[in-house]
């Protein structure tokens, strides 16, 4: 058993979005707990906030998890933008290949 309590960092009515956020955090090395993924049918009988799918993390991972979630939800990428050496197209850092000519990032 852990010596700490997990804290909620994300909740949404869309279970697919919640699962995606959980996968994003796990890919970044942050262990998560997924809560309420199958409680949607209880809405109405139970308060919505008790049925909403949620992602929980250890307190020491909370700040990093929230930053990753914010970046994912706003489309902010940590990778710098680049200019295609093949055609000169300006591309966002998330792309490894030019969408216009197919040249890989140098």
């Amino acid at each position: 058993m852990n010596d700490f309590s997990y804290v909620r960092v994300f909740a949404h009515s869309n279970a697919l979005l919640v699962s995606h956020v959980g996968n994003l955090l796990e890919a970044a090395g942050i262990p998560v707990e997924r809560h309420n993924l199958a409680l949607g049918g209880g809405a109405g009988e139970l308060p919505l906030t008790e049925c909403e799918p949620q992602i929980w993390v250890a307190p020491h991972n909370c700040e990093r998890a929230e930053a990753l979630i914010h970046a994912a939800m706003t489309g902010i990428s940590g990778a710098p933008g680049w200019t295609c050496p093949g055609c000169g197209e300006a591309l966002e850092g998330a792309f490894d290949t030019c969408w216009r000519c197919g040249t890989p990032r140098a």
Side-chain angles (χ1 to χ4, degrees), residues 17-98:
L17 179 59
V18 173
S19 292
H20 173 68
V21 168
N23 292 340
L24 172 82
L25 297 179
E26 287 177 329
I30 299 174
V32 303
E33 286 186 0
R34 291 169 172 84
H35 293 211
N36 304 338
L37 291 180
L39 278 181
E45 297 293 323
L46 299 168
L48 181 60
T49 56
E50 297 299 319
C51 298
E52 204 169 42
Q54 304 169 357
I55 297 295
W56 294 61
V57 301
H60 64 275
N61 287 324
C62 186
E63 186 176 329
R64 183 165 169 247
E66 288 174 343
L68 287 168
I69 293 167
H70 176 73
M73 294 296 126
T74 58
I76 298 170
S77 171
W82 59 287
T83 301
C84 175
C87 68
E89 181 69 22
L91 299 153
E92 294 179 17
F95 297 104
D96 290 329
T97 304
C98 179

